[in-house]
Amino acid sequence: MIDFWEEPNNKINKKKLIIISIIVILIIIFITIIVLYINNKTARQWIDKHILQKEITQNNLANIEIEDTDNSFVCAFNKYIGILSKNNFKIYDSSGKKESEITLEIAKPIFDENGRYLAVAETKGQKLYLIADKEIIWERNVEGNISEINVNKNGYVAVTIVDTSYKTIISMYDNQGEPLFKTFSSSTRAIATAISNDNKYLAIAEIDTSGTILQTNIKIISIEEGKKDAENSVKKIYKGENNQLITNIKYQEKNKLLCMYSNKITCIKEDETIETLQEFQNKKVSYASIELANSSMTVEEKSSGLFTADSVVNIINSENKSTSLYTAESITKEVYTNNNVIALNLGSEVEFINTNGWLLKRYTAEQEITNIVLSSSIAGIVYRDKIEIINL
């Protein structure tokens, strides 16, 4: 057999040496580019713009025209943009093509999406729908007025109902629309609900304002036990500190329940231990969010000059506590989060980053941006007469 490296005359094959040398040089160049991208901000910005083409501008994207500007409600879910107007819900793909059109008897909607599921309810009304991809899976009418809805990645839905003889009622439905149980409260008001990814637990953040001191409770309910005996299904109640305001809760991986307060973010683990992930009472934190797949984030304003400030995004992984930082060279006007995507509205510019702190897309507009809809794979920049679509 002729040796791979040698010609029959035992001389080294020069052609193969040249090919190997080129491959080695390309690998070195590739590694050099990666090192520059990670460590050199100027090089990273040049690569993002000229090679990775992460910078996009208004009027150069696929878009959807809004026909009834005064009565249209926009949402993003899965890989679609939805527009509800006069009971007509139109679903568009990432190219702006209309994929589906369904009827929803809703005038002023509440949207909540998770993966392929979108829950839609009438604000202070009785109508409730669950949509999967482009079809209605089920619809229900509830007794009382709906104030909030929450859907998990498997299509289980928790509905917060007010204006009944109770202060709050939480109704739980499975992904086929079957009622599982109801839980009632005569003295506390539900601020937020969360359903675990494995459909085992329903968490309710409550505020008791009946006394002189504000009291926050986080109630964990076993869904399986709730189906058998709702009154005795409470697994655990965590009492917050006096006068401590809770604003949101969110189940993440491994049944970690993240709890966002006005001054900190904590994590309740499945073994019932609690740890603090972020504290921001002594920082100039303008925004915070736990609506992410497995992280929490805060935006802190830091002075960068006499009349300028940067927005420093601090992202903490809920599992291993690793921290990622991202700096936007402007003050953040609004923040939107979904799964592993964070959108920073900087006025006439939006920077989309991931939970590792890397830029996904930078969108520049010709005017002030006032509304953004966001899912894990698509974003819509909502103007009065159109929606510009960004694929993430």
Side-chain angles (χ1 to χ4, degrees):
M1 180 183 291
I2 300 174
D3 191 278
F4 177 82
W5 298 102
E6 297 181 356
E7 299 287 358
N9 60 4
N10 292 325
K11 292 183 178 180
I12 296 176
N13 189 330
K14 293 182 179 179
K15 184 179 179 181
K16 288 176 180 159
L17 266 183
I18 292 171
I19 292 172
I20 292 170
S21 298
I22 291 172
I23 291 171
V24 171
I25 291 170
L26 289 174
I27 290 172
I28 293 171
I29 292 172
F30 182 71
I31 292 172
T32 302
I33 291 172
I34 291 175
V35 171
L36 280 172
Y37 188 85
I38 293 172
N39 296 298
N40 188 297
K41 184 178 179 180
T42 303
R44 181 165 62 250
Q45 289 175 337
W46 189 91
I47 292 170
D48 281 342
K49 182 176 181 179
H50 297 284
I51 298 178
L52 301 179
Q53 297 183 336
K54 291 183 178 182
E55 297 201 2
I56 49 182
T57 58
Q58 185 179 346
N59 299 321
N60 288 298
L61 298 169
N63 66 80
I64 305 164
E65 291 186 3
I66 300 177
E67 297 172 0
D68 186 355
T69 57
D70 295 325
N71 298 290
S72 294
F73 300 89
V74 183
C75 69
F77 67 103
N78 198 6
K79 53 186 178 180
Y80 304 109
I81 299 289
I83 303 176
L84 177 64
S85 178
K86 297 179 180 178
N87 296 342
N88 189 17
F89 188 59
K90 296 178 181 179
I91 300 172
Y92 299 85
D93 66 12
S94 59
S95 67
K97 176 186 174 184
K98 186 170 71 174
E99 289 281 322
S100 180
E101 191 169 342
I102 56 181
T103 299
L104 302 179
E105 296 177 11
I106 289 176
K108 188 177 180 181
I110 305 170
F111 295 115
D112 190 57
E113 67 88 29
N114 201 326
R116 61 188 291 262
Y117 291 102
L118 173 68
V120 189
E122 179 72 54
T123 303
K124 295 294 183 178
Q126 292 77 46
K127 203 70 179 180
L128 171 66
Y129 294 87
L130 182 68
I131 297 169
D133 296 322
K134 298 174 286 184
E135 297 180 355
I136 297 173
I137 300 301
W138 54 262
E139 60 181 276
R140 290 287 182 272
N141 287 302
V142 305
E143 295 180 4
N145 293 323
I146 299 171
S147 65
E148 185 190 354
I149 53 175
N150 180 262
V151 60
N152 79 346
K153 70 176 186 178
N154 301 312
Y156 278 57
V157 179
V159 184
T160 303
I161 301 167
V162 296
D163 301 331
T164 68
S165 57
Y166 293 90
K167 202 158 192 176
T168 305
I169 299 174
I170 309 293
S171 288
M172 189 76 203
Y173 297 88
D174 68 12
N175 53 11
Q176 299 303 311
E178 293 300 321
L180 299 179
F181 62 87
K182 291 182 180 180
T183 178
F184 305 86
S185 175
S186 57
S187 60
T188 59
R189 180 166 59 93
I191 296 298
T193 59
I195 308 166
S196 63
N197 291 333
D198 59 6
N199 312 327
K200 284 185 177 181
Y201 306 114
L202 167 67
I204 305 171
E206 302 175 325
I207 290 181
D208 187 348
T209 58
S210 60
T212 56
I213 297 175
L214 180 71
Q215 179 63 55
T216 295
N217 299 324
I218 299 173
K219 185 187 297 181
I220 310 296
I221 294 175
S222 166
I223 293 176
E224 190 62 35
E225 292 300 318
K227 291 188 288 184
K228 301 172 186 176
D229 182 3
E231 290 185 4
N232 297 299
S233 60
V234 178
K235 182 175 180 284
K236 183 82 173 179
I237 296 177
Y238 298 88
K239 292 188 178 293
E241 299 172 8
N242 291 338
N243 292 320
Q244 187 178 64
L245 179 63
I246 190 165
T247 57
N248 197 13
I249 55 175
K250 167 78 172 177
Y251 268 112
Q252 296 187 347
E253 296 174 9
K254 298 181 180 179
N255 287 337
K256 297 186 299 293
L257 180 66
L258 266 65
C259 309
M260 189 165 75
Y261 297 87
S262 56
N263 61 349
K264 65 180 178 180
I265 296 172
T266 65
C267 175
I268 301 175
K269 298 181 180 179
E270 196 169 17
D271 63 5
E272 300 183 358
T273 59
I274 303 175
E275 63 179 342
T276 299
L277 299 178
Q278 299 204 47
E279 288 188 276
F280 36 87
Q281 57 188 2
N282 296 320
K283 299 177 182 178
K284 195 176 181 181
V285 171
S286 52
Y287 295 95
S289 177
I290 55 176
E291 292 291 336
L292 293 162
N294 201 35
S295 302
S296 62
M297 60 80 66
T298 56
V299 177
E300 184 180 358
E301 292 181 14
K302 290 191 175 181
S303 175
S304 58
L306 188 59
F307 301 107
T308 59
D310 292 340
S311 295
V312 179
V313 184
N314 185 29
I315 307 161
I316 295 183
N317 185 286
S318 308
E319 181 65 26
N320 57 28
K321 312 304 176 297
S322 63
T323 299
S324 300
L325 293 176
Y326 179 86
T327 301
E329 297 177 347
S330 186
I331 295 175
T332 299
K333 312 294 184 185
E334 286 181 294
V335 172
Y336 304 80
T337 56
N338 191 304
N339 199 26
N340 289 312
V341 180
I342 300 166
L344 307 173
N345 182 355
L346 306 175
S348 60
E349 187 176 272
V350 183
E351 294 186 1
F352 297 91
I353 63 174
N354 62 22
T355 49
N356 291 320
W358 294 108
L359 181 71
L360 297 173
K361 292 286 175 65
R362 179 181 286 110
Y363 173 87
T364 303
E366 298 171 357
Q367 63 206 77
E368 194 82 3
I369 298 166
T370 58
N371 189 18
I372 300 168
V373 292
L374 179 69
S375 76
S376 59
S377 61
I378 194 172
I381 309 298
V382 183
Y383 297 102
R384 180 170 174 78
D385 59 347
K386 69 176 180 178
I387 304 162
E388 294 212 325
I389 303 170
I390 301 171
N391 292 298
L392 301 172

